[in-house]
Amino acid sequence: QVQLVQSGAEVKKPGASVKVSCKASGYTFTSYGISWVRQAPGQGLEWMGWISAYNGNTNYAQKLQGRVTMTTDTSTSTAYMELRSLRSDDTAVYYCARVDFITMVQGATAWFDPWGQGTLVTVSS
Amino acid sequence: SYVLTQPPSVSVAPGKTARITCGGNNIGSKSVHWYQQKPGQAPVLVIYYDSDRPSGIPERFSGSNSGNTATLTISRVEAGDEADYYCQVWDSSSDHAVFGGGTQLTVL
């Protein structure tokens, strides 16, 4: 079955970087994109960006531009998300999700299915 | 940027019908997707393309979208439906995904 398995929890100090991995299985990795979504404690879902596993093209949320980098390794069907210059408000559960992206005459749409199990990143001094 | 508005909470008695709304400017012109998130778990897609159900999602879950409001309808609500629900669209002008703020569904 289609599955995304993420790396384990991380504790980082302010100013450090974190890199979270997301290993895909059960489908052709390069036929879909991978999106990253985070959720701060008690808060809603925040879209961070996405990467095409086909050609490596990326699109990041404006709020995170310059601090986030998304990459893929097609040889291992693994996606990565690196966030730099960590602050306390980056403390969150980080999810990867497979992106179903459809281009229609009236415009594009995309949804996320399935999701990884989540990775808790805690930023604390 | 595009904004989606959801009520923070909805309550419903078991066996009744729950309706969770998602408001946005001319949202009827976009495709809306819905996710269910239970405490401590990752979100799960329950509706895509306004009204399509992924395999494994009960027929009790349905969706509609028109004008400025999209609606997730859960019929014959069960205790196990208690969760947070999020709507989501793709904003083609920015190539960004947008989530609503989420609605906590309480089964009384």
Side-chain angles (χ1 to χ4, degrees):
Chain A
Q1 75 282 20
V2 178
Q3 194 174 11
L4 300 176
V5 178
Q6 299 183 223
S7 50
E10 304 261 12
V11 179
K12 297 292 183 180
K13 293 194 182 304
S17 298
V18 69
K19 192 170 186 177
V20 180
S21 69
C22 169
K23 183 169 176 61
S25 61
Y27 71 97
T28 302
F29 184 66
T30 51
S31 294
Y32 295 82
I34 293 287
S35 197
W36 292 86
V37 177
R38 69 179 181 178
Q39 186 171 38
Q43 302 301 308
L45 302 174
E46 179 186 10
W47 183 78
M48 300 178 66
W50 79 294
I51 181 168
S52 167
Y54 174 71
N55 58 18
N57 286 351
T58 55
N59 194 349
Y60 302 137
Q62 198 166 3
K63 174 182 178 181
L64 297 172
Q65 287 274 2
R67 288 207 300 139
V68 67
T69 300
M70 297 176 188
T71 57
T72 59
D73 181 347
T74 56
S75 69
T76 60
S77 299
T78 302
Y80 299 91
M81 186 284 299
E82 181 180 33
L83 189 60
R84 299 177 293 279
S85 302
L86 289 168
R87 310 186 289 246
S88 58
D89 61 357
D90 291 318
T91 293
V93 176
Y94 288 74
Y95 295 101
C96 62
R98 190 182 75 170
V99 182
D100 255 295
F101 193 89
I102 306 294
T103 301
M104 307 172 294
V105 171
Q106 61 268 41
T109 190
W111 61 88
F112 310 123
D113 180 50
W115 296 56
Q117 83 276 19
T119 297
L120 174 62
V121 175
T122 303
V123 182
S124 173
S125 55
Chain B
S1 59
Y2 196 75
V3 176
L4 296 174
T5 302
Q6 297 183 238
S9 62
V10 167
S11 299
V12 63
K16 299 299 185 182
T17 298
R19 293 179 180 83
I20 298 172
T21 59
C22 176
N25 183 34
N26 197 26
I27 195 174
S29 67
K30 300 181 181 298
S31 290
V32 180
H33 320 296
W34 291 91
Y35 304 88
Q36 175 193 69
Q37 186 181 34
K38 296 182 179 180
Q41 298 184 18
V44 173
L45 179 73
V46 293
I47 292 288
Y48 65 103
Y49 254 156
D50 294 341
S51 59
D52 288 350
R53 275 179 291 103
S55 60
I57 301 301
E59 290 183 10
R60 300 184 298 104
F61 288 81
S62 62
S64 62
N65 183 19
S66 178
N68 293 317
T69 305
T71 303
L72 172 68
T73 301
I74 309 172
S75 305
R76 302 180 299 282
V77 166
E78 303 173 356
D81 298 331
E82 195 162 270
D84 293 328
Y85 291 85
Y86 295 89
C87 59
Q88 176 252 315
V89 300
W90 187 262
D91 183 2
S92 292
S93 64
S94 61
D95 250 5
H96 282 25
V98 179
F99 286 98
T103 298
Q104 182 176 55
L105 176 67
T106 299
V107 181
L108 301 170

